[in-house]
Amino acid sequence: KKKKMSPLLAHLIFYLLLLTVVTGEILRPRFYSETCPEAETIVRREMKKAMIKEARSVASVMRLQFHDCFVNGCDASLLLDDTPNMLGEKLALSNINSLRSFEVVDDIKEALEKACPATVSCADIIIMASRDAVALTGGPDWEVKLGRKDSLSASQKDSDDVMPSPRANATLLIDLFKRFDLSVKDMVALSGSHSIGQGRCFSIMFRLYNQSGSGKPDPALEPVYRKKLNKLCPLGGDENVTGDLDATPQVFDNQYFKDLVSGRGFLNSDQTLYTNGETREYVKMFSEDQAEFFRAFQEGMVKMGDLQSARSGEVRFNCRVVNRRPIGGLLES
């Protein structure tokens, strides 16, 4: 006669199954060493091509990791286009008219599909390409953990609920990163991703002309730098004009932190790292020790890459749309 499973054992099994779902895939270095041994080489090659075509593009691709991983884990949901039944994340408040260079991910995916069809996930492409963006512009290079699956859904609301705006201050950022088990040091180091790339005038108009509703500029702005930004971003001007995020926007280095110490941070969320007592010491440390910044940055990127999704399920053939496979002459969504 079959013994009945005890309620305690049944509960334990249910808990273990639930834990497996929540924690997601087991990530590891060289995940594709047998199934697609050239994967990382192909990603770096395509990123080099993108950088030659437009230097800013690699910085834009690197930003995708943060905007993807903080919204339900690193599952490439960010890349999905809207459908009649789904509002995706591209039009979320922090992403619309801001995130760009999706075509670089498309090119990488196309090259990988030619070499190893239906093998490398879009989620892993974002992680590899972000690392390569840093390495190719003079920053640290590190081993990435891979093995993520892609989400088949996205949520504009989830992105709006999580992602900070350029107006965010250090306190808000500390609290946000803490939710993902990322320390104050991690947060400051990861903000150093603004060592490369550009930002829009739209993101700083309030700093230049109406900080905190005062009708005046942000007092933390160094006067000469403020005049430069006033010229770049005049009142009533084109707010899609872009400015450099630091003085060396094509080189990944610690100049970003030196600029913050000098009052030359482009975004409010950057400069507030120096005006806030809890983050100032890390800014000063990284401004004086580039090697320490590089160490902390790569540690933070690996931690952020460990954030996983409970809703990911397969490798998408196209990073922008939910898979549609031809089966017996019909299309299956």
Side-chain angles (χ1 to χ4, degrees), residues 124-150:
D124 278 343
I125 289 173
I126 290 175
I127 299 297
M128 288 185 277
S130 296
R131 181 268 312 272
D132 292 346
V134 176
L136 290 171
T137 51
D141 201 349
W142 63 92
E143 191 167 53
V144 289
K145 290 187 277 185
L146 303 169
R148 296 162 190 81
K149 295 289 175 63
D150 297 325

mmCIF file with all atom_site columns, all heavy atoms in Angstrom, residues 124-150:
data_model
loop_
_atom_site.group_PDB
_atom_site.id
_atom_site.type_symbol
_atom_site.label_atom_id
_atom_site.label_alt_id
_atom_site.label_comp_id
_atom_site.label_asym_id
_atom_site.label_entity_id
_atom_site.label_seq_id
_atom_site.pdbx_PDB_ins_code
_atom_site.Cartn_x
_atom_site.Cartn_y
_atom_site.Cartn_z
_atom_site.occupancy
_atom_site.B_iso_or_equiv
_atom_site.pdbx_formal_charge
_atom_site.auth_seq_id
_atom_site.auth_comp_id
_atom_site.auth_asym_id
_atom_site.auth_atom_id
_atom_site.pdbx_PDB_model_num
ATOM 1   N N   . ASP A 1 124 ? 21.610 37.334 -22.482 1.00 0.00 ? 124 ASP A N   1
ATOM 2   C CA  . ASP A 1 124 ? 23.065 37.175 -22.383 1.00 0.00 ? 124 ASP A CA  1
ATOM 3   C C   . ASP A 1 124 ? 23.797 38.131 -23.318 1.00 0.00 ? 124 ASP A C   1
ATOM 4   O O   . ASP A 1 124 ? 24.901 38.597 -23.001 1.00 0.00 ? 124 ASP A O   1
ATOM 5   C CB  . ASP A 1 124 ? 23.467 35.733 -22.701 1.00 0.00 ? 124 ASP A CB  1
ATOM 6   C CG  . ASP A 1 124 ? 23.312 34.801 -21.513 1.00 0.00 ? 124 ASP A CG  1
ATOM 7   O OD1 . ASP A 1 124 ? 23.198 35.294 -20.372 1.00 0.00 ? 124 ASP A OD1 1
ATOM 8   O OD2 . ASP A 1 124 ? 23.300 33.570 -21.723 1.00 0.00 ? 124 ASP A OD2 1
ATOM 9   N N   . ILE A 1 125 ? 23.203 38.437 -24.458 1.00 0.00 ? 125 ILE A N   1
ATOM 10  C CA  . ILE A 1 125 ? 23.814 39.406 -25.376 1.00 0.00 ? 125 ILE A CA  1
ATOM 11  C C   . ILE A 1 125 ? 23.989 40.753 -24.673 1.00 0.00 ? 125 ILE A C   1
ATOM 12  O O   . ILE A 1 125 ? 25.040 41.389 -24.771 1.00 0.00 ? 125 ILE A O   1
ATOM 13  C CB  . ILE A 1 125 ? 22.970 39.567 -26.661 1.00 0.00 ? 125 ILE A CB  1
ATOM 14  C CG1 . ILE A 1 125 ? 23.070 38.311 -27.525 1.00 0.00 ? 125 ILE A CG1 1
ATOM 15  C CG2 . ILE A 1 125 ? 23.438 40.790 -27.461 1.00 0.00 ? 125 ILE A CG2 1
ATOM 16  C CD1 . ILE A 1 125 ? 22.150 38.310 -28.737 1.00 0.00 ? 125 ILE A CD1 1
ATOM 17  N N   . ILE A 1 126 ? 22.965 41.193 -23.955 1.00 0.00 ? 126 ILE A N   1
ATOM 18  C CA  . ILE A 1 126 ? 23.049 42.477 -23.250 1.00 0.00 ? 126 ILE A CA  1
ATOM 19  C C   . ILE A 1 126 ? 24.206 42.462 -22.249 1.00 0.00 ? 126 ILE A C   1
ATOM 20  O O   . ILE A 1 126 ? 24.975 43.420 -22.154 1.00 0.00 ? 126 ILE A O   1
ATOM 21  C CB  . ILE A 1 126 ? 21.724 42.788 -22.525 1.00 0.00 ? 126 ILE A CB  1
ATOM 22  C CG1 . ILE A 1 126 ? 20.621 43.102 -23.542 1.00 0.00 ? 126 ILE A CG1 1
ATOM 23  C CG2 . ILE A 1 126 ? 21.896 43.961 -21.552 1.00 0.00 ? 126 ILE A CG2 1
ATOM 24  C CD1 . ILE A 1 126 ? 19.238 43.311 -22.919 1.00 0.00 ? 126 ILE A CD1 1
ATOM 25  N N   . ILE A 1 127 ? 24.348 41.360 -21.520 1.00 0.00 ? 127 ILE A N   1
ATOM 26  C CA  . ILE A 1 127 ? 25.409 41.260 -20.505 1.00 0.00 ? 127 ILE A CA  1
ATOM 27  C C   . ILE A 1 127 ? 26.791 41.279 -21.163 1.00 0.00 ? 127 ILE A C   1
ATOM 28  O O   . ILE A 1 127 ? 27.697 41.995 -20.711 1.00 0.00 ? 127 ILE A O   1
ATOM 29  C CB  . ILE A 1 127 ? 25.230 39.976 -19.667 1.00 0.00 ? 127 ILE A CB  1
ATOM 30  C CG1 . ILE A 1 127 ? 23.894 39.988 -18.921 1.00 0.00 ? 127 ILE A CG1 1
ATOM 31  C CG2 . ILE A 1 127 ? 26.402 39.799 -18.690 1.00 0.00 ? 127 ILE A CG2 1
ATOM 32  C CD1 . ILE A 1 127 ? 23.731 41.100 -17.900 1.00 0.00 ? 127 ILE A CD1 1
ATOM 33  N N   . MET A 1 128 ? 26.971 40.502 -22.221 1.00 0.00 ? 128 MET A N   1
ATOM 34  C CA  . MET A 1 128 ? 28.263 40.460 -22.909 1.00 0.00 ? 128 MET A CA  1
ATOM 35  C C   . MET A 1 128 ? 28.590 41.794 -23.567 1.00 0.00 ? 128 MET A C   1
ATOM 36  O O   . MET A 1 128 ? 29.714 42.297 -23.486 1.00 0.00 ? 128 MET A O   1
ATOM 37  C CB  . MET A 1 128 ? 28.269 39.340 -23.960 1.00 0.00 ? 128 MET A CB  1
ATOM 38  C CG  . MET A 1 128 ? 28.314 37.943 -23.388 1.00 0.00 ? 128 MET A CG  1
ATOM 39  S SD  . MET A 1 128 ? 28.472 36.655 -24.677 1.00 0.00 ? 128 MET A SD  1
ATOM 40  C CE  . MET A 1 128 ? 26.755 36.459 -25.192 1.00 0.00 ? 128 MET A CE  1
ATOM 41  N N   . ALA A 1 129 ? 27.597 42.382 -24.238 1.00 0.00 ? 129 ALA A N   1
ATOM 42  C CA  . ALA A 1 129 ? 27.818 43.637 -24.952 1.00 0.00 ? 129 ALA A CA  1
ATOM 43  C C   . ALA A 1 129 ? 28.119 44.777 -23.994 1.00 0.00 ? 129 ALA A C   1
ATOM 44  O O   . ALA A 1 129 ? 28.938 45.661 -24.303 1.00 0.00 ? 129 ALA A O   1
ATOM 45  C CB  . ALA A 1 129 ? 26.589 43.972 -25.802 1.00 0.00 ? 129 ALA A CB  1
ATOM 46  N N   . SER A 1 130 ? 27.503 44.776 -22.810 1.00 0.00 ? 130 SER A N   1
ATOM 47  C CA  . SER A 1 130 ? 27.778 45.811 -21.808 1.00 0.00 ? 130 SER A CA  1
ATOM 48  C C   . SER A 1 130 ? 29.215 45.721 -21.331 1.00 0.00 ? 130 SER A C   1
ATOM 49  O O   . SER A 1 130 ? 29.911 46.740 -21.195 1.00 0.00 ? 130 SER A O   1
ATOM 50  C CB  . SER A 1 130 ? 26.819 45.667 -20.621 1.00 0.00 ? 130 SER A CB  1
ATOM 51  O OG  . SER A 1 130 ? 25.492 45.878 -21.024 1.00 0.00 ? 130 SER A OG  1
ATOM 52  N N   . ARG A 1 131 ? 29.658 44.510 -21.061 1.00 0.00 ? 131 ARG A N   1
ATOM 53  C CA  . ARG A 1 131 ? 31.060 44.302 -20.659 1.00 0.00 ? 131 ARG A CA  1
ATOM 54  C C   . ARG A 1 131 ? 32.001 44.787 -21.769 1.00 0.00 ? 131 ARG A C   1
ATOM 55  O O   . ARG A 1 131 ? 33.001 45.473 -21.512 1.00 0.00 ? 131 ARG A O   1
ATOM 56  C CB  . ARG A 1 131 ? 31.270 42.822 -20.348 1.00 0.00 ? 131 ARG A CB  1
ATOM 57  C CG  . ARG A 1 131 ? 32.681 42.417 -19.878 1.00 0.00 ? 131 ARG A CG  1
ATOM 58  C CD  . ARG A 1 131 ? 33.604 41.980 -21.014 1.00 0.00 ? 131 ARG A CD  1
ATOM 59  N NE  . ARG A 1 131 ? 33.042 41.039 -21.942 1.00 0.00 ? 131 ARG A NE  1
ATOM 60  C CZ  . ARG A 1 131 ? 33.085 39.703 -21.797 1.00 0.00 ? 131 ARG A CZ  1
ATOM 61  N NH1 . ARG A 1 131 ? 33.642 39.168 -20.743 1.00 0.00 ? 131 ARG A NH1 1
ATOM 62  N NH2 . ARG A 1 131 ? 32.556 38.919 -22.741 1.00 0.00 ? 131 ARG A NH2 1
ATOM 63  N N   . ASP A 1 132 ? 31.678 44.443 -23.012 1.00 0.00 ? 132 ASP A N   1
ATOM 64  C CA  . ASP A 1 132 ? 32.545 44.810 -24.132 1.00 0.00 ? 132 ASP A CA  1
ATOM 65  C C   . ASP A 1 132 ? 32.578 46.318 -24.354 1.00 0.00 ? 132 ASP A C   1
ATOM 66  O O   . ASP A 1 132 ? 33.607 46.868 -24.754 1.00 0.00 ? 132 ASP A O   1
ATOM 67  C CB  . ASP A 1 132 ? 32.084 44.097 -25.402 1.00 0.00 ? 132 ASP A CB  1
ATOM 68  C CG  . ASP A 1 132 ? 32.309 42.589 -25.335 1.00 0.00 ? 132 ASP A CG  1
ATOM 69  O OD1 . ASP A 1 132 ? 33.047 42.143 -24.431 1.00 0.00 ? 132 ASP A OD1 1
ATOM 70  O OD2 . ASP A 1 132 ? 31.742 41.861 -26.162 1.00 0.00 ? 132 ASP A OD2 1
ATOM 71  N N   . ALA A 1 133 ? 31.450 46.993 -24.103 1.00 0.00 ? 133 ALA A N   1
ATOM 72  C CA  . ALA A 1 133 ? 31.415 48.455 -24.238 1.00 0.00 ? 133 ALA A CA  1
ATOM 73  C C   . ALA A 1 133 ? 32.452 49.094 -23.331 1.00 0.00 ? 133 ALA A C   1
ATOM 74  O O   . ALA A 1 133 ? 33.127 50.063 -23.710 1.00 0.00 ? 133 ALA A O   1
ATOM 75  C CB  . ALA A 1 133 ? 30.024 48.974 -23.893 1.00 0.00 ? 133 ALA A CB  1
ATOM 76  N N   . VAL A 1 134 ? 32.597 48.558 -22.127 1.00 0.00 ? 134 VAL A N   1
ATOM 77  C CA  . VAL A 1 134 ? 33.567 49.081 -21.160 1.00 0.00 ? 134 VAL A CA  1
ATOM 78  C C   . VAL A 1 134 ? 34.988 48.740 -21.596 1.00 0.00 ? 134 VAL A C   1
ATOM 79  O O   . VAL A 1 134 ? 35.871 49.605 -21.648 1.00 0.00 ? 134 VAL A O   1
ATOM 80  C CB  . VAL A 1 134 ? 33.281 48.509 -19.752 1.00 0.00 ? 134 VAL A CB  1
ATOM 81  C CG1 . VAL A 1 134 ? 34.351 48.958 -18.755 1.00 0.00 ? 134 VAL A CG1 1
ATOM 82  C CG2 . VAL A 1 134 ? 31.897 48.928 -19.284 1.00 0.00 ? 134 VAL A CG2 1
ATOM 83  N N   . ALA A 1 135 ? 35.216 47.473 -21.928 1.00 0.00 ? 135 ALA A N   1
ATOM 84  C CA  . ALA A 1 135 ? 36.567 47.017 -22.294 1.00 0.00 ? 135 ALA A CA  1
ATOM 85  C C   . ALA A 1 135 ? 37.078 47.722 -23.551 1.00 0.00 ? 135 ALA A C   1
ATOM 86  O O   . ALA A 1 135 ? 38.263 48.084 -23.638 1.00 0.00 ? 135 ALA A O   1
ATOM 87  C CB  . ALA A 1 135 ? 36.566 45.503 -22.495 1.00 0.00 ? 135 ALA A CB  1
ATOM 88  N N   . LEU A 1 136 ? 36.204 47.941 -24.519 1.00 0.00 ? 136 LEU A N   1
ATOM 89  C CA  . LEU A 1 136 ? 36.617 48.536 -25.795 1.00 0.00 ? 136 LEU A CA  1
ATOM 90  C C   . LEU A 1 136 ? 36.910 50.030 -25.692 1.00 0.00 ? 136 LEU A C   1
ATOM 91  O O   . LEU A 1 136 ? 37.538 50.604 -26.578 1.00 0.00 ? 136 LEU A O   1
ATOM 92  C CB  . LEU A 1 136 ? 35.540 48.310 -26.861 1.00 0.00 ? 136 LEU A CB  1
ATOM 93  C CG  . LEU A 1 136 ? 35.360 46.867 -27.349 1.00 0.00 ? 136 LEU A CG  1
ATOM 94  C CD1 . LEU A 1 136 ? 34.133 46.745 -28.238 1.00 0.00 ? 136 LEU A CD1 1
ATOM 95  C CD2 . LEU A 1 136 ? 36.614 46.402 -28.100 1.00 0.00 ? 136 LEU A CD2 1
ATOM 96  N N   . THR A 1 137 ? 36.456 50.660 -24.611 1.00 0.00 ? 137 THR A N   1
ATOM 97  C CA  . THR A 1 137 ? 36.704 52.099 -24.453 1.00 0.00 ? 137 THR A CA  1
ATOM 98  C C   . THR A 1 137 ? 37.757 52.394 -23.384 1.00 0.00 ? 137 THR A C   1
ATOM 99  O O   . THR A 1 137 ? 37.877 53.521 -22.908 1.00 0.00 ? 137 THR A O   1
ATOM 100 C CB  . THR A 1 137 ? 35.387 52.838 -24.114 1.00 0.00 ? 137 THR A CB  1
ATOM 101 O OG1 . THR A 1 137 ? 34.737 52.196 -23.010 1.00 0.00 ? 137 THR A OG1 1
ATOM 102 C CG2 . THR A 1 137 ? 34.453 52.854 -25.303 1.00 0.00 ? 137 THR A CG2 1
ATOM 103 N N   . GLY A 1 138 ? 38.514 51.365 -23.005 1.00 0.00 ? 138 GLY A N   1
ATOM 104 C CA  . GLY A 1 138 ? 39.636 51.581 -22.095 1.00 0.00 ? 138 GLY A CA  1
ATOM 105 C C   . GLY A 1 138 ? 39.398 51.174 -20.663 1.00 0.00 ? 138 GLY A C   1
ATOM 106 O O   . GLY A 1 138 ? 40.278 51.323 -19.809 1.00 0.00 ? 138 GLY A O   1
ATOM 107 N N   . GLY A 1 139 ? 38.209 50.647 -20.363 1.00 0.00 ? 139 GLY A N   1
ATOM 108 C CA  . GLY A 1 139 ? 37.887 50.242 -19.007 1.00 0.00 ? 139 GLY A CA  1
ATOM 109 C C   . GLY A 1 139 ? 38.292 48.813 -18.711 1.00 0.00 ? 139 GLY A C   1
ATOM 110 O O   . GLY A 1 139 ? 38.964 48.165 -19.521 1.00 0.00 ? 139 GLY A O   1
ATOM 111 N N   . PRO A 1 140 ? 37.877 48.287 -17.570 1.00 0.00 ? 140 PRO A N   1
ATOM 112 C CA  . PRO A 1 140 ? 38.237 46.917 -17.186 1.00 0.00 ? 140 PRO A CA  1
ATOM 113 C C   . PRO A 1 140 ? 37.540 45.879 -18.054 1.00 0.00 ? 140 PRO A C   1
ATOM 114 O O   . PRO A 1 140 ? 36.511 46.155 -18.673 1.00 0.00 ? 140 PRO A O   1
ATOM 115 C CB  . PRO A 1 140 ? 37.760 46.823 -15.736 1.00 0.00 ? 140 PRO A CB  1
ATOM 116 C CG  . PRO A 1 140 ? 36.625 47.801 -15.649 1.00 0.00 ? 140 PRO A CG  1
ATOM 117 C CD  . PRO A 1 140 ? 37.014 48.930 -16.563 1.00 0.00 ? 140 PRO A CD  1
ATOM 118 N N   . ASP A 1 141 ? 38.119 44.700 -18.099 1.00 0.00 ? 141 ASP A N   1
ATOM 119 C CA  . ASP A 1 141 ? 37.539 43.561 -18.811 1.00 0.00 ? 141 ASP A CA  1
ATOM 120 C C   . ASP A 1 141 ? 37.335 42.471 -17.766 1.00 0.00 ? 141 ASP A C   1
ATOM 121 O O   . ASP A 1 141 ? 38.174 42.305 -16.878 1.00 0.00 ? 141 ASP A O   1
ATOM 122 C CB  . ASP A 1 141 ? 38.511 43.090 -19.891 1.00 0.00 ? 141 ASP A CB  1
ATOM 123 C CG  . ASP A 1 141 ? 37.834 42.281 -20.989 1.00 0.00 ? 141 ASP A CG  1
ATOM 124 O OD1 . ASP A 1 141 ? 36.658 41.902 -20.804 1.00 0.00 ? 141 ASP A OD1 1
ATOM 125 O OD2 . ASP A 1 141 ? 38.477 42.022 -22.025 1.00 0.00 ? 141 ASP A OD2 1
ATOM 126 N N   . TRP A 1 142 ? 36.243 41.759 -17.829 1.00 0.00 ? 142 TRP A N   1
ATOM 127 C CA  . TRP A 1 142 ? 35.989 40.741 -16.813 1.00 0.00 ? 142 TRP A CA  1
ATOM 128 C C   . TRP A 1 142 ? 35.233 39.562 -17.420 1.00 0.00 ? 142 TRP A C   1
ATOM 129 O O   . TRP A 1 142 ? 34.673 39.646 -18.514 1.00 0.00 ? 142 TRP A O   1
ATOM 130 C CB  . TRP A 1 142 ? 35.226 41.317 -15.625 1.00 0.00 ? 142 TRP A CB  1
ATOM 131 C CG  . TRP A 1 142 ? 33.851 41.831 -15.932 1.00 0.00 ? 142 TRP A CG  1
ATOM 132 C CD1 . TRP A 1 142 ? 32.666 41.153 -15.855 1.00 0.00 ? 142 TRP A CD1 1
ATOM 133 C CD2 . TRP A 1 142 ? 33.502 43.157 -16.373 1.00 0.00 ? 142 TRP A CD2 1
ATOM 134 N NE1 . TRP A 1 142 ? 31.605 41.953 -16.202 1.00 0.00 ? 142 TRP A NE1 1
ATOM 135 C CE2 . TRP A 1 142 ? 32.094 43.197 -16.526 1.00 0.00 ? 142 TRP A CE2 1
ATOM 136 C CE3 . TRP A 1 142 ? 34.245 44.311 -16.648 1.00 0.00 ? 142 TRP A CE3 1
ATOM 137 C CZ2 . TRP A 1 142 ? 31.425 44.342 -16.944 1.00 0.00 ? 142 TRP A CZ2 1
ATOM 138 C CZ3 . TRP A 1 142 ? 33.587 45.445 -17.062 1.00 0.00 ? 142 TRP A CZ3 1
ATOM 139 C CH2 . TRP A 1 142 ? 32.185 45.453 -17.202 1.00 0.00 ? 142 TRP A CH2 1
ATOM 140 N N   . GLU A 1 143 ? 35.230 38.468 -16.675 1.00 0.00 ? 143 GLU A N   1
ATOM 141 C CA  . GLU A 1 143 ? 34.531 37.264 -17.122 1.00 0.00 ? 143 GLU A CA  1
ATOM 142 C C   . GLU A 1 143 ? 33.065 37.386 -16.717 1.00 0.00 ? 143 GLU A C   1
ATOM 143 O O   . GLU A 1 143 ? 32.752 37.666 -15.564 1.00 0.00 ? 143 GLU A O   1
ATOM 144 C CB  . GLU A 1 143 ? 35.162 36.033 -16.471 1.00 0.00 ? 143 GLU A CB  1
ATOM 145 C CG  . GLU A 1 143 ? 34.688 34.726 -17.067 1.00 0.00 ? 143 GLU A CG  1
ATOM 146 C CD  . GLU A 1 143 ? 35.554 33.555 -16.616 1.00 0.00 ? 143 GLU A CD  1
ATOM 147 O OE1 . GLU A 1 143 ? 35.741 33.385 -15.398 1.00 0.00 ? 143 GLU A OE1 1
ATOM 148 O OE2 . GLU A 1 143 ? 36.052 32.816 -17.481 1.00 0.00 ? 143 GLU A OE2 1
ATOM 149 N N   . VAL A 1 144 ? 32.179 37.185 -17.676 1.00 0.00 ? 144 VAL A N   1
ATOM 150 C CA  . VAL A 1 144 ? 30.746 37.297 -17.385 1.00 0.00 ? 144 VAL A CA  1
ATOM 151 C C   . VAL A 1 144 ? 30.134 35.920 -17.175 1.00 0.00 ? 144 VAL A C   1
ATOM 152 O O   . VAL A 1 144 ? 30.545 34.939 -17.794 1.00 0.00 ? 144 VAL A O   1
ATOM 153 C CB  . VAL A 1 144 ? 29.989 38.031 -18.518 1.00 0.00 ? 144 VAL A CB  1
ATOM 154 C CG1 . VAL A 1 144 ? 30.333 39.502 -18.524 1.00 0.00 ? 144 VAL A CG1 1
ATOM 155 C CG2 . VAL A 1 144 ? 30.274 37.400 -19.881 1.00 0.00 ? 144 VAL A CG2 1
ATOM 156 N N   . LYS A 1 145 ? 29.151 35.859 -16.299 1.00 0.00 ? 145 LYS A N   1
ATOM 157 C CA  . LYS A 1 145 ? 28.379 34.639 -16.105 1.00 0.00 ? 145 LYS A CA  1
ATOM 158 C C   . LYS A 1 145 ? 27.211 34.653 -17.090 1.00 0.00 ? 145 LYS A C   1
ATOM 159 O O   . LYS A 1 145 ? 26.557 35.685 -17.265 1.00 0.00 ? 145 LYS A O   1
ATOM 160 C CB  . LYS A 1 145 ? 27.870 34.540 -14.664 1.00 0.00 ? 145 LYS A CB  1
ATOM 161 C CG  . LYS A 1 145 ? 28.978 34.287 -13.659 1.00 0.00 ? 145 LYS A CG  1
ATOM 162 C CD  . LYS A 1 145 ? 28.428 34.029 -12.259 1.00 0.00 ? 145 LYS A CD  1
ATOM 163 C CE  . LYS A 1 145 ? 28.131 35.306 -11.533 1.00 0.00 ? 145 LYS A CE  1
ATOM 164 N NZ  . LYS A 1 145 ? 27.719 35.069 -10.130 1.00 0.00 ? 145 LYS A NZ  1
ATOM 165 N N   . LEU A 1 146 ? 26.954 33.523 -17.714 1.00 0.00 ? 146 LEU A N   1
ATOM 166 C CA  . LEU A 1 146 ? 25.932 33.439 -18.757 1.00 0.00 ? 146 LEU A CA  1
ATOM 167 C C   . LEU A 1 146 ? 24.998 32.256 -18.504 1.00 0.00 ? 146 LEU A C   1
ATOM 168 O O   . LEU A 1 146 ? 25.228 31.454 -17.616 1.00 0.00 ? 146 LEU A O   1
ATOM 169 C CB  . LEU A 1 146 ? 26.607 33.300 -20.133 1.00 0.00 ? 146 LEU A CB  1
ATOM 170 C CG  . LEU A 1 146 ? 27.595 34.420 -20.502 1.00 0.00 ? 146 LEU A CG  1
ATOM 171 C CD1 . LEU A 1 146 ? 28.404 34.038 -21.745 1.00 0.00 ? 146 LEU A CD1 1
ATOM 172 C CD2 . LEU A 1 146 ? 26.869 35.744 -20.714 1.00 0.00 ? 146 LEU A CD2 1
ATOM 173 N N   . GLY A 1 147 ? 23.947 32.182 -19.309 1.00 0.00 ? 147 GLY A N   1
ATOM 174 C CA  . GLY A 1 147 ? 22.980 31.095 -19.183 1.00 0.00 ? 147 GLY A CA  1
ATOM 175 C C   . GLY A 1 147 ? 21.572 31.585 -18.935 1.00 0.00 ? 147 GLY A C   1
ATOM 176 O O   . GLY A 1 147 ? 20.694 30.808 -18.538 1.00 0.00 ? 147 GLY A O   1
ATOM 177 N N   . ARG A 1 148 ? 21.329 32.880 -19.166 1.00 0.00 ? 148 ARG A N   1
ATOM 178 C CA  . ARG A 1 148 ? 19.985 33.444 -18.954 1.00 0.00 ? 148 ARG A CA  1
ATOM 179 C C   . ARG A 1 148 ? 19.043 33.024 -20.079 1.00 0.00 ? 148 ARG A C   1
ATOM 180 O O   . ARG A 1 148 ? 19.462 32.800 -21.192 1.00 0.00 ? 148 ARG A O   1
ATOM 181 C CB  . ARG A 1 148 ? 20.063 34.986 -18.905 1.00 0.00 ? 148 ARG A CB  1
ATOM 182 C CG  . ARG A 1 148 ? 20.869 35.518 -17.756 1.00 0.00 ? 148 ARG A CG  1
ATOM 183 C CD  . ARG A 1 148 ? 21.289 36.969 -17.966 1.00 0.00 ? 148 ARG A CD  1
ATOM 184 N NE  . ARG A 1 148 ? 22.267 37.344 -16.941 1.00 0.00 ? 148 ARG A NE  1
ATOM 185 C CZ  . ARG A 1 148 ? 23.562 37.045 -17.015 1.00 0.00 ? 148 ARG A CZ  1
ATOM 186 N NH1 . ARG A 1 148 ? 24.029 36.403 -18.068 1.00 0.00 ? 148 ARG A NH1 1
ATOM 187 N NH2 . ARG A 1 148 ? 24.381 37.384 -16.035 1.00 0.00 ? 148 ARG A NH2 1
ATOM 188 N N   . LYS A 1 149 ? 17.766 32.982 -19.743 1.00 0.00 ? 149 LYS A N   1
ATOM 189 C CA  . LYS A 1 149 ? 16.729 32.792 -20.755 1.00 0.00 ? 149 LYS A CA  1
ATOM 190 C C   . LYS A 1 149 ? 15.993 34.120 -20.929 1.00 0.00 ? 149 LYS A C   1
ATOM 191 O O   . LYS A 1 149 ? 16.043 34.993 -20.071 1.00 0.00 ? 149 LYS A O   1
ATOM 192 C CB  . LYS A 1 149 ? 15.765 31.682 -20.330 1.00 0.00 ? 149 LYS A CB  1
ATOM 193 C CG  . LYS A 1 149 ? 16.413 30.298 -20.239 1.00 0.00 ? 149 LYS A CG  1
ATOM 194 C CD  . LYS A 1 149 ? 16.738 29.769 -21.619 1.00 0.00 ? 149 LYS A CD  1
ATOM 195 C CE  . LYS A 1 149 ? 17.498 28.439 -21.543 1.00 0.00 ? 149 LYS A CE  1
ATOM 196 N NZ  . LYS A 1 149 ? 16.712 27.375 -20.926 1.00 0.00 ? 149 LYS A NZ  1
ATOM 197 N N   . ASP A 1 150 ? 15.291 34.244 -22.030 1.00 0.00 ? 150 ASP A N   1
ATOM 198 C CA  . ASP A 1 150 ? 14.593 35.487 -22.356 1.00 0.00 ? 150 ASP A CA  1
ATOM 199 C C   . ASP A 1 150 ? 13.144 35.465 -21.893 1.00 0.00 ? 150 ASP A C   1
ATOM 200 O O   . ASP A 1 150 ? 12.479 34.428 -21.936 1.00 0.00 ? 150 ASP A O   1
ATOM 201 C CB  . ASP A 1 150 ? 14.608 35.716 -23.874 1.00 0.00 ? 150 ASP A CB  1
ATOM 202 C CG  . ASP A 1 150 ? 16.007 35.885 -24.424 1.00 0.00 ? 150 ASP A CG  1
ATOM 203 O OD1 . ASP A 1 150 ? 16.851 36.469 -23.718 1.00 0.00 ? 150 ASP A OD1 1
ATOM 204 O OD2 . ASP A 1 150 ? 16.269 35.437 -25.562 1.00 0.00 ? 150 ASP A OD2 1
#
